[in-house]
Amino acid sequence: MIDLHTHSRVSDGTLSPTELVSLAADRGVTLLSLTDHDCLDGIAEARAACAAAGIRFLPGVEVSTSWDKKTLHIVGLGVDPENAALQTGLARLQAVRDARGAEIGRRLEAKGIAGARAGAAKIAGEARLTRTHYARFLLEAGHVKDLQQAYKRYLGRGKPGHVSVEWASLEETLAWIHAAGGRAVLAHPLRYGFTRAWLVKILTAFKQAGGDAMEIVSGRSNPDEVAVSAHLAGRFELMGSVGSDFHAPSAWLQPGVETALPTGVKPVWESLPA
């Protein structure tokens, strides 16, 4: 039971790093990475909790990346959280997040959603505002019936609360991760909604830029998705990773991935120091 893609409330999850580790331990997870969005602040707490629970821990981060006017998420696994290049790069992205968070609130309020920014900020607590916090606010305030509708009606591309920003370039993201001694993993490649042709273009650019791996199992991947991802990993000579992309406890998604990597796909975690 492994999970190399999880989130805590340090970014847009609902559990503290300690609570996340406790749930992962209850689920039988033996190797865990905390990969909060553009943030390393929860690493020390998660590392200590994993040590107490007897779980192997890989420090990680999920870096927001722009490529050809598209947003990609690149997970850095096994990174040194004290690395200056990575810290400086993430600080820049956090500033972008702050500006976007404020603008989302302004736009929603301009469309009649009173108290959007304050409500989302209350949910975020000490974390920086994200679209997820706004989605939860919209749900709690009764503007939508579920989180999916919040994105479809208010936060998705072309909707009132959508704010386009420029994240780190693909080359910058990989340089930061590698400078910190980590492995760069393309997160949930089949979840972006790209056509196969676009996915091949992205993987080509990712590999040429020095990408190391891609997620083979993401969340509740079905067998067909796993097979497609494994084929693409082999085609581009990429290692494989697995992760739940856990944000909050639910009936359909918990920390830990039980599906083993298909034969022929090298696990990315075996390429990192013990």
Side-chain angles (χ1 to χ4, degrees):
M1 184 76 84
I2 292 173
D3 201 333
L4 303 181
H5 188 163
T6 65
H7 300 277
S8 75
R9 65 170 173 242
V10 169
S11 62
D12 61 348
T14 61
L15 303 182
S16 70
T18 298
E19 292 168 337
L20 168 62
V21 171
S22 178
L23 181 57
D26 290 343
R27 291 268 300 157
V29 173
T30 58
L31 175 62
L32 180 73
S33 182
L34 177 64
T35 56
D36 277 317
H37 293 283
D38 305 318
C39 182
L40 300 163
D41 293 352
I43 294 298
E45 181 181 339
R47 189 198 302 273
C50 280
I55 296 175
R56 291 174 59 205
F57 179 70
L58 282 176
V61 64
E62 186 171 10
V63 184
S64 303
T65 305
S66 293
W67 178 83
D68 199 14
K69 298 182 180 181
K70 295 175 174 55
T71 297
L72 305 176
H73 292 166
I74 308 297
V75 169
L77 292 176
V79 296
D80 174 8
E82 303 300 322
N83 178 265
L86 180 59
Q87 288 183 339
T88 300
L90 295 181
R92 191 183 97 199
L93 296 184
Q94 290 291 6
V96 174
R97 282 189 173 276
D98 289 343
R100 184 182 71 160
E103 180 62 12
I104 291 174
R106 187 194 69 78
R107 293 188 184 189
L108 289 177
E109 289 168 7
K111 289 294 183 179
I113 307 297
R117 184 177 181 184
K122 183 178 180 180
I123 292 171
E126 296 182 0
R128 284 179 162 87
L129 279 176
T130 68
R131 291 197 311 157
T132 303
H133 297 128
Y134 278 104
R136 290 175 185 151
F137 162 75
L138 290 167
L139 177 60
E140 291 183 10
H143 296 287
V144 295
K145 64 180 181 180
D146 53 37
L147 293 178
Q148 185 177 14
Q149 190 178 71
Y151 290 99
K152 286 185 175 181
R153 184 175 295 178
Y154 293 102
L155 301 171
R157 185 173 296 277
K159 303 304 178 181
H162 178 76
V163 178
S164 296
V165 298
E166 188 70 20
W167 302 108
S169 70
L170 185 59
E171 291 75 16
E172 286 177 318
T173 295
L174 269 58
W176 298 342
I177 292 171
H178 290 152
R183 301 291 184 268
V185 182
L186 178 63
H188 41 67
L190 303 186
R191 296 283 185 256
Y192 298 105
F194 298 142
T195 64
R196 178 65 68 90
W198 267 109
L199 187 53
V200 167
K201 290 180 181 179
I202 289 166
L203 286 167
T204 299
F206 179 67
K207 179 67 176 180
Q208 290 177 345
D212 302 298
M214 58 182 280
E215 287 183 350
I216 305 299
V217 182
S218 176
R220 298 182 65 191
S221 298
N222 62 48
D224 288 342
E225 291 172 330
V226 171
V228 169
S229 296
H231 170 76
L232 290 170
R235 175 176 173 179
F236 289 93
E237 299 181 338
L238 294 168
M239 292 179 285
S241 187
V242 299
S244 64
D245 198 6
F246 174 85
H247 285 75
S250 70
W252 60 275
L253 185 63
Q254 297 288 343
V257 175
E258 297 178 350
T259 303
L261 288 178
T263 301
V265 178
K266 180 181 178 181
V268 65
W269 56 92
E270 292 183 358
S271 71
L272 288 161

